[in-house]
Amino acid sequence: MPKKKPVHLLVIDPFDALAHAVKLLRDAGFAVDVTEHASQIHPMIQEVLPACLIVPLELQGRDGDMPLVRELKNDSIYGHLPAITALPAERLEGLDWAELQADEFVILPCTDGEWLARVKICLARAQRDLNANPLTGLPGNIAIIREIEARLQRRDAFAVAYLDLDHFKPFNDKYGFLRGDEVLRMTARIVVNAARSIRGGASFVGHVGGDDFVLIAASDQIGAACDEITRNFDLLIPNFYDEEDRIRGAIHAIDRQGNATVFSLMTCSIAVVDTAAHTIRHVADISARAAQVKKYAKSIRGSATCYDRRT
């Protein structure tokens, strides 16, 4: 039975005030990364997406560092990450919790039992609220639906890109789920980076499940983002194959009907539905259109982005 992967936490601790808590959480089985600088938050979460941030109140209130924490909480991609604020009891009174944007708090000094309870409660609540995918940490179906419904209600001009990997199952069957998980995490990073490259408009990335992802962006920016996704995916994916398969450009595996088959290296198919080009009233309309376009995209050899051109 595969060993359960630890839950990652990120502690921002410039004053070494949370050293005991870090040791406690590590002893409890959490994988805890620590940085002294709030400016390191973005690079670190792009490397390993934590399940939770732990930030002393002093850091959130310090000029220069505070915007970085607030920026993260207002980010449509990473804003779902819960943040626990650690503070002394005398600082409780008069705090503006809406401004602070903390999801949980711990009063210092804190007992070991309360530390563990606060972290676990915060993680459980975040999982319930956001339905985040446990592998990539990206928002799941519930959050995706909420995001689309909110944009429809605001009458935004936006496009939804559904990304699906071609030949992922035979790859997973041959190399095992651990390497398959690495492919999915890499794909998540590629889509997130493409979303972050979009300027001037809020983007959103979700993980539907398995090898299906969603990118939501302004109508006039979705094309460039999809081009970046397919380009980077095709560039990086050969690295996940053994050398002999990479040179051959294909693997031998069993198809869904149980037949020995040769599968080319994985590619990605993207179906784009643009609300500016169609009368869309419900999220189900987008889902239905995307499913039909994605079927066509997957019939094309190699990575491809197909747009719903139908009236």
Side-chain angles (χ1 to χ4, degrees):
M1 185 175 181
K3 186 178 180 180
K4 186 177 180 181
K5 293 185 177 180
V7 175
H8 281 266
L9 308 176
L10 176 57
V11 177
I12 301 93
D13 186 18
F15 314 113
D16 200 29
L18 303 178
H20 175 75
V22 169
K23 181 179 184 305
L24 171 71
L25 293 166
R26 284 173 174 164
D27 290 345
F30 291 98
V32 185
D33 294 321
V34 183
T35 179
E36 297 179 355
H37 306 291
S39 60
Q40 291 300 310
I41 293 177
H42 266 114
M44 294 182 75
I45 65 175
Q46 287 179 349
E47 183 69 22
V48 178
L49 188 66
C52 179
L53 304 173
I54 300 177
V55 187
L57 178 64
E58 289 84 352
L59 183 60
Q60 286 196 292
R62 198 170 72 185
D63 290 341
D65 286 333
M66 185 176 177
L68 290 171
V69 177
R70 187 182 299 159
E71 177 188 334
L72 190 71
K73 294 296 294 180
N74 291 331
D75 191 306
S76 60
I77 298 171
Y78 296 126
H80 66 287
L81 292 177
I84 298 176
T85 294
L87 70 163
E90 58 269 24
R91 296 294 305 277
L92 266 177
E93 188 173 352
L95 277 178
D96 185 343
W97 289 98
E99 176 73 12
L100 196 60
Q101 300 194 50
D103 300 280
E104 184 59 86
F105 67 91
V106 170
I107 299 296
L108 300 176
C110 178
T111 67
D112 292 356
E114 184 172 354
W115 256 117
L116 293 174
R118 293 284 187 179
V119 170
K120 290 178 180 178
I121 288 171
C122 188
L123 293 173
R125 185 193 305 128
Q127 187 68 29
R128 287 196 304 270
D129 289 348
L130 293 169
N131 186 33
N133 186 280
L135 178 65
T136 61
L138 292 173
N141 287 332
I142 294 175
I144 293 169
I145 292 171
R146 287 175 179 170
E147 181 69 21
I148 293 175
E149 289 178 338
R151 294 184 185 229
L152 287 174
Q153 289 177 357
R154 294 196 303 266
R155 299 182 184 277
D156 292 348
F158 68 97
V160 180
Y162 279 82
L163 169 71
D164 180 62
L165 304 190
D166 309 315
H167 310 316
F168 176 74
K169 184 178 183 304
F171 175 91
N172 214 38
D173 290 343
K174 175 170 183 176
Y175 290 117
F177 73 93
L178 288 178
R179 205 183 298 191
D181 285 352
E182 288 301 317
V183 169
L184 296 179
R185 278 192 282 267
M186 178 206 71
T187 304
R189 287 195 293 273
I190 289 174
V191 180
V192 166
N193 287 338
R196 297 194 68 83
S197 70
I198 296 174
R199 300 186 183 279
S203 54
F204 176 93
V205 176
H207 189 172
V208 177
D211 57 339
D212 291 321
F213 295 83
V214 165
L215 166 64
I216 304 173
S219 298
D220 60 348
Q221 296 171 322
I222 197 74
C226 291
D227 289 345
E228 182 176 332
I229 291 170
T230 54
R231 182 172 60 250
N232 288 329
F233 186 88
D234 290 345
L235 178 67
L236 295 173
I237 200 62
N239 298 318
F240 289 84
Y241 288 83
D242 289 346
E243 184 177 4
E244 60 185 23
D245 291 333
R246 185 165 58 249
I247 294 172
R248 187 188 304 117
I251 63 173
H252 296 275
I254 304 300
D255 67 14
R256 296 179 186 277
Q257 287 71 45
N259 303 313
T261 306
V262 177
F263 294 92
S264 61
L265 303 190
M266 281 182 283
T267 52
C268 62
S269 296
I270 304 177
V272 177
V273 178
D274 189 347
T275 63
H278 309 287
T279 302
I280 303 290
R281 294 187 173 86
H282 192 275
V283 64
D285 297 335
I286 296 177
S287 178
R289 283 178 173 270
Q292 295 162 358
V293 176
K294 190 173 73 173
K295 185 176 181 180
Y296 174 70
K298 290 182 77 66
S299 70
I300 299 173
R301 186 180 180 85
S303 294
T305 301
C306 293
Y307 299 81
D308 187 6
R309 307 290 190 193
R310 298 167 296 176
T311 57

